[in-house]
Amino acid sequence: MERLWGLLQRAQRLSPRLSQTIYRRVEGTQQGRLEEEEEDGEEGAEPQAHFCHMELRGPEPLGSRPGRQNLGLWAAAGRRATPYLVLTALLIFTVAFLLGYVAFRGSCQVCGDDVLVLNEDMNYELGPDSHQGMLYWSDLQAMFLRLLGEGSLEDAIKQISLRKRVAGSAGMAALSQDIRVALSSQKLDHVWTDTHYVGLQFPDPAHPNTLHWVDATGGPGEQLPLEDPDVYCPYSATGNATGELVYAHYGRPEDLQDLRARGVEPAGRLLLVRLGVISFAQKVASAQDFGARGVLIYPDPADFSQDPHKLPLSSHRAVFGHVHLGTGDPYTPGFPSFNQTQFPPVQSSGLPSIPAQPISADIATLLLRRLEGPVVPQEWQGSLPVSPYHLGPGPGLHLGVNNHRASTPISNIFGCIEGRSEPDHYVVIGAQRDAWGPGAAKSAVGTAILLELVRTFSSMVSNGFRPRRSLLFISWDGGDFGSVGSTEWLEGYLSVLHLKAVVYVSLDNAVLGDDKFHAKTSPLLISLIESILKQVDSPNRSGQTLYEQVVFNNRSWDAEVIRPLPMDSSAYSFTAFAGVPAVEFSFMEDGTPYPFLHTKDDTYENLHKVLRGRLPAVAQAVAQLAGQLLIRLSHDHLLPLDFGGYGDVVLRHIGSLNEFSGDLKARGLTLQWVYSARGDYIRAAEKLRKEIYSSEESDERLMRMYNVRMMRVEFYFLSQYVSPADSPFRHIFLGRGDHTLGALLDHVRLLRSGSGAPGAASSGVAPGLGFQESRFRRQLALLTWTLQGAANALSGDVWNIDNNF
């Protein structure tokens, strides 16, 4: 308006005039009358304005005022020109406004919102960059990268790996205090600690675990020395197990089924299985399902790099691993372990009933040499100095496990930067702090990156950044025992977190090599991860982004990078238990795992050698990736979650089920319910996408409504028809139990394979029952109504739902 007023005044000054008409009050007997008179005006002089009651007078008689006619013509011309000048000024103003609006919109197409520098908190101190009026994605990215480069990740990794930090130990208590002090020194809004009293299992130094040959009388004979006597399997059943030894490859359900098909019965025997492919807990659960009495787990050199220039795992090292088929404290399943509260004496169904023990490759060699029976299939042959391997059975073995349970305090440490617009929505990032051994790769790298991100984002706050949503940084305890710290926190605050947590980002196992990059994640985050990969430089290929590195040999980037979340990831509970989308990043060796994970050799020196001195660069790349992901999730006006991605997931699973449609039709059964629910979900996702596309981002209320609907998509896939206490992992795609899509597929496979589907144990379904029509109908109903419920919830308010049941 000021600009328009100035144009009008300039137009008046430039118009030709000799005089101007004013009104003045006439003094005398007729108060209040105005008399029109001429005043010579100097060019550029401002007229005096008098605001008073006016009396209109009729026209002067012709010729009564000399020269008045010409002057009147000039005044009339000016009055006629004024509307055109006003319209011209308005047109110029409108065009300029539209051009400015388009330029403004185009300047931040990626981030979708501006970040105001000024904070309403009066105690907020403006940093050196606070003169900027607004911060966009490019500004934030540049600020983040600049501030991140000021830290020293390598030194932090080294110092943390030198500290003893087994959960519940004095060393862990000291480290916890140091980390809390470090967080308190940063510009965080809140720092606090949650303590849980959990049941952990430890070896008994006075009664170590033992392994003996069985003598002629059937009792313990010659002892086999356990070269790593304090390496054990937490949550193994305690007691003694005696039986003949059988080699069972990786101990997968399909391996045990194959073993049985070759005439070697696993039931009633001890199984010797190799490390890898599936978790310790899954190996022991499968062995238990097939009737084995105990399990010995060893690292076979064939599963690690055969490159003579790379460091091998020592042949006398055993590998640590818990065997609870689940997460959290197995002695309070589904309940938080606060304040040593005594819950009813119930145990997790994932606790094994048979003993398990890790052994070294040297001990495994002695055992394999004593095996007889059929020669193993070629793909089962390992690299120990035994050729060929035999399936067994072999001589009898006696395994004694004497681990003991202890109530142990563990502490999770939290730091928070509150969001300015949506403080009740949390973007969460965490890393395991504890380690059974040195734990350089296992937890030192993740903890160092977490602390570096806290420092960097704190510096960004001092430089004017304030996220829309709250950033929550967490250091977990009890991770080596099955994500105990993170799961107990989820159990304690589940009713809050499923409404407030946006995404969880895990930093565990982040650097296990530098050849390959994997992201274990929910489908909701795949598109966002792709866009971030294009923003991060590759740590080992100069001039390339991470995205260009991963598509170098495989144009299908997601097939190269994306993996499902495994149960042994701390991110798994967030998605499968709490319904929060999660991601865990990992740099890995090409084709072979990092050999020292969960061993006493997981030192800073060995990790540095495996990466050939590239540890700082790779850790920095992870920090850049995680940090930019946090910026997008906490800063974007509209959450960058791909809620339509689950439609493709359902379609892939339905493709597997379609193979059995003929078998089902022959029994009078159909999968039409699942097809219908999947169609409703796709239509609801497309409808929401169109609503968002046609809406205005400046509408805060509408954007929040959309964000809430997207945030809860993962939660929609938690089955509402099963008990969290009985089936804690209720997610129909990632969970375990009869309600999952995987369990339905395993059951349908029984139509052709008879009893004992290969994947039955892995999906939490007992093998050997055969196909049951009543069970199939129940599974189909559970799956269909969960998927249909997700479609209904995604549709929005009840008056917007147009799905046909």
Coordinates of all heavy atoms in Angstrom, one line a residue, residues 111-165:
C111 N 11.9 -28.8 0.6 CA 11.6 -28.8 2.0 C 10.1 -28.5 2.3 O 9.6 -28.9 3.3 CB 12.5 -27.9 2.8 SG 12.5 -26.2 2.3
G112 N 9.5 -27.6 1.5 CA 8.1 -27.4 1.7 C 7.8 -26.4 2.8 O 6.6 -26.1 3.0
D113 N 8.7 -25.9 3.5 CA 8.4 -24.9 4.6 C 9.6 -24.1 4.9 O 10.8 -24.5 4.6 CB 7.9 -25.7 5.8 CG 7.4 -24.8 6.8 OD1 6.8 -23.7 6.5 OD2 7.6 -25.1 8.0
D114 N 9.4 -23.0 5.5 CA 10.5 -22.2 6.0 C 10.7 -22.3 7.5 O 9.7 -22.7 8.2 CB 10.3 -20.7 5.7 CG 9.0 -20.2 6.4 OD1 8.0 -20.8 6.1 OD2 9.1 -19.2 7.1
V115 N 11.9 -22.1 8.0 CA 12.1 -22.2 9.4 C 12.4 -20.8 9.9 O 13.4 -20.2 9.4 CB 13.4 -23.1 9.7 CG1 13.7 -23.1 11.2 CG2 13.1 -24.5 9.2
L116 N 11.6 -20.3 10.8 CA 11.8 -19.0 11.3 C 13.0 -19.0 12.3 O 13.1 -19.9 13.1 CB 10.5 -18.5 12.0 CG 9.3 -18.4 11.1 CD1 8.1 -17.9 12.0 CD2 9.5 -17.4 10.0
V117 N 13.8 -18.1 12.2 CA 15.0 -18.1 13.0 C 14.7 -17.7 14.4 O 15.2 -18.4 15.4 CB 16.1 -17.1 12.4 CG1 17.2 -16.9 13.4 CG2 16.6 -17.6 11.1
L118 N 13.8 -16.8 14.6 CA 13.6 -16.3 16.0 C 12.8 -17.3 16.8 O 11.8 -17.8 16.3 CB 12.9 -14.9 16.0 CG 13.7 -13.8 15.4 CD1 12.9 -12.5 15.3 CD2 15.0 -13.6 16.1
N119 N 13.2 -17.5 18.0 CA 12.5 -18.4 18.9 C 11.7 -17.6 19.9 O 12.2 -16.5 20.3 CB 13.5 -19.3 19.6 CG 12.8 -20.4 20.4 OD1 11.6 -20.4 20.6 ND2 13.7 -21.4 20.8
E120 N 10.5 -18.0 20.3 CA 9.7 -17.3 21.2 C 10.3 -17.3 22.6 O 9.9 -16.5 23.5 CB 8.3 -17.8 21.2 CG 7.6 -17.6 19.9 CD 6.2 -18.2 19.9 OE1 5.8 -18.8 20.9 OE2 5.5 -18.0 18.9
D121 N 11.2 -18.3 22.9 CA 11.8 -18.4 24.2 C 12.7 -17.2 24.4 O 13.7 -16.9 23.7 CB 12.6 -19.7 24.3 CG 13.2 -19.9 25.6 OD1 13.0 -19.0 26.5 OD2 13.8 -20.9 25.8
M122 N 12.5 -16.4 25.5 CA 13.2 -15.2 25.7 C 14.7 -15.5 26.0 O 15.6 -14.7 25.9 CB 12.6 -14.4 26.8 CG 11.2 -13.9 26.5 SD 11.2 -12.9 24.9 CE 12.1 -11.5 25.5
N123 N 15.0 -16.7 26.5 CA 16.3 -17.1 26.9 C 17.1 -17.6 25.7 O 18.3 -18.0 25.8 CB 16.3 -18.2 27.9 CG 15.7 -17.7 29.2 OD1 15.9 -16.5 29.6 ND2 14.9 -18.5 29.9
Y124 N 16.5 -17.6 24.5 CA 17.2 -18.1 23.3 C 18.2 -17.2 22.8 O 17.9 -16.0 22.7 CB 16.1 -18.4 22.3 CG 16.6 -18.9 21.0 CD1 17.1 -20.2 20.9 CD2 16.7 -18.1 19.8 CE1 17.6 -20.7 19.7 CE2 17.1 -18.6 18.6 CZ 17.6 -19.9 18.6 OH 18.1 -20.4 17.4
E125 N 19.4 -17.6 22.6 CA 20.5 -16.8 22.2 C 20.7 -17.0 20.7 O 20.9 -18.1 20.2 CB 21.8 -17.1 22.9 CG 21.7 -16.9 24.4 CD 23.0 -17.3 25.1 OE1 23.9 -17.7 24.3 OE2 23.1 -17.2 26.3
L126 N 20.7 -15.9 20.0 CA 20.8 -15.9 18.5 C 22.3 -16.1 18.2 O 23.2 -15.5 18.8 CB 20.3 -14.7 17.9 CG 18.8 -14.4 18.1 CD1 18.4 -13.1 17.4 CD2 18.0 -15.5 17.5
G127 N 22.5 -17.0 17.2 CA 23.9 -17.3 16.8 C 24.4 -16.3 15.7 O 23.7 -15.4 15.3
P128 N 25.5 -16.6 15.2 CA 26.1 -15.7 14.2 C 25.3 -15.6 12.9 O 25.4 -14.7 12.1 CB 27.5 -16.2 14.0 CG 27.5 -17.6 14.5 CD 26.5 -17.6 15.5
D129 N 24.5 -16.7 12.6 CA 23.8 -16.7 11.3 C 22.4 -16.2 11.5 O 21.5 -16.3 10.7 CB 23.7 -18.1 10.8 CG 25.1 -18.6 10.3 OD1 25.9 -17.7 10.1 OD2 25.2 -19.8 10.2
S130 N 22.1 -15.6 12.7 CA 20.7 -15.3 13.0 C 20.2 -14.0 12.2 O 19.0 -13.7 12.3 CB 20.6 -15.0 14.5 OG 21.4 -13.9 14.9
H131 N 21.0 -13.4 11.5 CA 20.6 -12.3 10.7 C 19.7 -12.7 9.5 O 19.0 -12.0 8.9 CB 21.8 -11.5 10.2 CG 22.7 -12.3 9.3 ND1 23.7 -13.1 9.8 CD2 22.7 -12.4 7.9 CE1 24.3 -13.7 8.7 NE2 23.7 -13.3 7.6
Q132 N 19.8 -14.0 9.2 CA 19.0 -14.5 8.1 C 17.5 -14.6 8.5 O 17.2 -14.9 9.6 CB 19.5 -15.9 7.7 CG 20.9 -16.0 7.3 CD 21.3 -17.4 7.0 OE1 20.5 -18.4 7.0 NE2 22.6 -17.6 6.6
G133 N 16.7 -14.2 7.6 CA 15.2 -14.2 7.9 C 14.6 -15.6 7.9 O 13.8 -15.9 8.7
M134 N 15.0 -16.4 7.0 CA 14.5 -17.8 6.8 C 15.5 -18.8 6.5 O 16.5 -18.4 5.8 CB 13.3 -17.8 5.8 CG 12.1 -16.9 6.1 SD 10.9 -16.9 4.8 CE 9.7 -15.8 5.5
L135 N 15.3 -20.0 6.8 CA 16.2 -21.1 6.5 C 15.5 -22.1 5.7 O 14.4 -22.6 6.1 CB 16.8 -21.8 7.7 CG 17.7 -20.9 8.6 CD1 18.0 -21.6 9.9 CD2 19.0 -20.5 7.9
Y136 N 16.1 -22.5 4.5 CA 15.4 -23.5 3.6 C 16.3 -24.8 3.7 O 17.3 -24.8 4.4 CB 15.3 -22.9 2.2 CG 14.5 -21.7 2.2 CD1 15.1 -20.4 1.9 CD2 13.1 -21.7 2.3 CE1 14.4 -19.3 1.9 CE2 12.4 -20.5 2.3 CZ 13.0 -19.3 2.1 OH 12.3 -18.2 2.0
W137 N 15.8 -25.8 2.9 CA 16.5 -27.1 2.9 C 18.0 -26.9 2.6 O 18.9 -27.5 3.2 CB 15.8 -28.0 1.9 CG 16.6 -29.2 1.6 CD1 17.2 -29.5 0.3 CD2 17.0 -30.3 2.4 NE1 17.8 -30.7 0.4 CE2 17.8 -31.2 1.7 CE3 16.9 -30.5 3.8 CZ2 18.4 -32.3 2.2 CZ3 17.4 -31.7 4.3 CH2 18.2 -32.6 3.6
S138 N 18.3 -26.1 1.5 CA 19.7 -25.9 1.1 C 20.5 -25.3 2.2 O 21.7 -25.6 2.5 CB 19.8 -25.1 -0.2 OG 19.2 -23.9 0.0
D139 N 19.9 -24.3 2.9 CA 20.5 -23.6 4.0 C 20.8 -24.6 5.2 O 21.9 -24.6 5.7 CB 19.7 -22.5 4.6 CG 19.3 -21.5 3.5 OD1 20.2 -21.1 2.7 OD2 18.2 -21.0 3.5
L140 N 19.8 -25.4 5.5 CA 20.0 -26.3 6.6 C 21.0 -27.4 6.3 O 21.8 -27.8 7.1 CB 18.6 -27.0 6.9 CG 17.6 -26.1 7.5 CD1 16.3 -26.8 7.6 CD2 18.0 -25.5 8.8
Q141 N 21.0 -27.9 5.0 CA 21.9 -28.9 4.6 C 23.3 -28.4 4.7 O 24.2 -29.0 5.2 CB 21.6 -29.3 3.2 CG 22.4 -30.5 2.7 CD 22.1 -30.8 1.2 OE1 22.0 -29.9 0.4 NE2 22.0 -32.1 0.9
A142 N 23.6 -27.2 4.2 CA 24.9 -26.6 4.2 C 25.4 -26.3 5.7 O 26.5 -26.6 6.0 CB 24.9 -25.3 3.4
M143 N 24.4 -25.8 6.5 CA 24.8 -25.6 7.9 C 25.1 -26.9 8.6 O 26.1 -27.0 9.3 CB 23.6 -24.9 8.6 CG 23.9 -24.6 10.1 SD 22.4 -24.2 11.0 CE 21.9 -22.7 10.2
F144 N 24.3 -27.9 8.4 CA 24.5 -29.2 9.0 C 25.9 -29.8 8.6 O 26.7 -30.3 9.5 CB 23.4 -30.2 8.6 CG 23.7 -31.6 9.0 CD1 23.6 -32.0 10.4 CD2 24.1 -32.6 8.1 CE1 23.8 -33.3 10.7 CE2 24.3 -33.9 8.5 CZ 24.2 -34.3 9.8
L145 N 26.2 -29.8 7.3 CA 27.5 -30.4 6.9 C 28.7 -29.6 7.4 O 29.7 -30.2 7.7 CB 27.5 -30.5 5.3 CG 26.5 -31.4 4.7 CD1 26.5 -31.3 3.2 CD2 26.7 -32.8 5.1
R146 N 28.5 -28.3 7.5 CA 29.6 -27.5 8.0 C 29.9 -27.8 9.4 O 31.0 -28.0 9.9 CB 29.3 -26.0 7.8 CG 30.3 -25.1 8.4 CD 30.1 -23.6 8.0 NE 28.7 -23.2 8.4 CZ 28.4 -22.8 9.6 NH1 29.3 -22.8 10.6 NH2 27.2 -22.4 9.9
L147 N 28.8 -27.8 10.2 CA 29.0 -28.1 11.7 C 29.4 -29.5 12.0 O 30.1 -29.8 12.9 CB 27.7 -27.7 12.4 CG 27.3 -26.2 12.3 CD1 25.9 -26.0 12.9 CD2 28.4 -25.4 13.0
L148 N 28.9 -30.5 11.2 CA 29.3 -31.9 11.4 C 30.8 -32.1 11.2 O 31.4 -32.9 11.9 CB 28.5 -32.8 10.5 CG 28.7 -34.3 10.6 CD1 28.1 -34.8 11.9 CD2 28.1 -35.0 9.4
G149 N 31.3 -31.4 10.3 CA 32.8 -31.6 10.0 C 33.7 -31.0 11.1 O 34.9 -31.3 11.0
E150 N 33.1 -30.4 12.1 CA 34.0 -29.8 13.1 C 34.3 -30.8 14.2 O 35.0 -30.5 15.2 CB 33.3 -28.6 13.7 CG 33.2 -27.4 12.7 CD 32.4 -26.3 13.3 OE1 31.9 -26.4 14.4 OE2 32.2 -25.3 12.5
G151 N 33.6 -32.0 14.2 CA 33.8 -33.0 15.3 C 34.9 -34.0 15.0 O 35.5 -33.9 13.9
S152 N 35.1 -34.9 15.9 CA 36.1 -35.9 15.7 C 35.5 -37.3 16.0 O 35.5 -37.8 17.2 CB 37.3 -35.6 16.6 OG 38.3 -36.7 16.5
L153 N 34.9 -37.9 15.0 CA 34.2 -39.2 15.2 C 35.2 -40.3 15.6 O 35.0 -41.1 16.4 CB 33.5 -39.6 14.0 CG 32.0 -39.1 13.9 CD1 31.5 -39.4 12.5 CD2 31.2 -39.7 14.9
E154 N 36.4 -40.3 14.9 CA 37.3 -41.4 15.1 C 37.8 -41.5 16.5 O 37.9 -42.6 17.1 CB 38.5 -41.2 14.1 CG 39.5 -42.4 14.1 CD 40.6 -42.2 13.1 OE1 40.8 -41.1 12.6 OE2 41.3 -43.2 12.8
D155 N 38.1 -40.4 17.1 CA 38.6 -40.4 18.4 C 37.6 -40.8 19.4 O 37.8 -41.6 20.4 CB 39.1 -39.0 18.8 CG 39.7 -38.9 20.2 OD1 40.8 -39.6 20.4 OD2 39.2 -38.3 21.1
A156 N 36.3 -40.4 19.2 CA 35.2 -40.9 20.1 C 35.0 -42.4 20.0 O 34.8 -43.0 21.0 CB 33.9 -40.1 19.7
I157 N 35.1 -42.9 18.8 CA 34.9 -44.4 18.6 C 36.0 -45.1 19.4 O 35.8 -46.1 20.1 CB 35.0 -44.8 17.1 CG1 33.8 -44.2 16.4 CG2 35.0 -46.3 16.9 CD1 33.9 -44.3 14.9
K158 N 37.2 -44.6 19.3 CA 38.4 -45.3 19.9 C 38.2 -45.2 21.4 O 38.4 -46.3 22.1 CB 39.7 -44.6 19.5 CG 40.9 -45.2 20.1 CD 42.2 -44.6 19.6 CE 43.4 -45.2 20.1 NZ 44.6 -44.6 19.5
Q159 N 37.8 -44.1 22.0 CA 37.7 -44.0 23.4 C 36.6 -44.8 24.0 O 36.7 -45.4 25.1 CB 37.5 -42.5 23.8 CG 38.7 -41.6 23.5 CD 40.0 -42.1 24.1 OE1 40.0 -42.5 25.3 NE2 41.1 -42.0 23.4
I160 N 35.5 -44.9 23.3 CA 34.3 -45.7 23.8 C 34.6 -47.1 23.8 O 34.3 -47.9 24.7 CB 33.1 -45.3 23.0 CG1 32.6 -43.9 23.2 CG2 31.9 -46.3 23.3 CD1 31.5 -43.4 22.3
S161 N 35.3 -47.6 22.7 CA 35.6 -49.0 22.6 C 36.6 -49.5 23.6 O 36.7 -50.7 23.9 CB 36.2 -49.3 21.2 OG 37.4 -48.7 21.0
L162 N 37.4 -48.6 24.2 CA 38.3 -49.0 25.3 C 37.7 -49.1 26.7 O 38.3 -49.6 27.6 CB 39.4 -47.9 25.4 CG 40.4 -47.8 24.2 CD1 41.3 -46.6 24.4 CD2 41.2 -49.1 24.0
R163 N 36.4 -48.7 26.8 CA 35.7 -48.8 28.1 C 34.9 -50.1 28.2 O 34.2 -50.5 27.3 CB 34.8 -47.6 28.2 CG 35.6 -46.3 28.1 CD 34.7 -45.1 28.4 NE 34.3 -45.0 29.8 CZ 33.9 -43.9 30.3 NH1 33.8 -42.7 29.6 NH2 33.5 -43.9 31.6
K164 N 35.0 -50.7 29.3 CA 34.2 -51.9 29.6 C 32.8 -51.5 29.9 O 32.6 -50.6 30.8 CB 34.8 -52.7 30.8 CG 36.2 -53.3 30.5 CD 36.7 -54.1 31.7 CE 38.0 -54.8 31.3 NZ 38.6 -55.6 32.4
R165 N 31.8 -52.0 29.2 CA 30.5 -51.5 29.4 C 29.4 -52.6 29.2 O 28.4 -52.5 28.5 CB 30.2 -50.4 28.4 CG 30.5 -50.7 26.9 CD 30.5 -49.5 26.1 NE 30.6 -49.8 24.7 CZ 31.6 -50.2 24.0 NH1 32.8 -50.3 24.6 NH2 31.6 -50.5 22.7

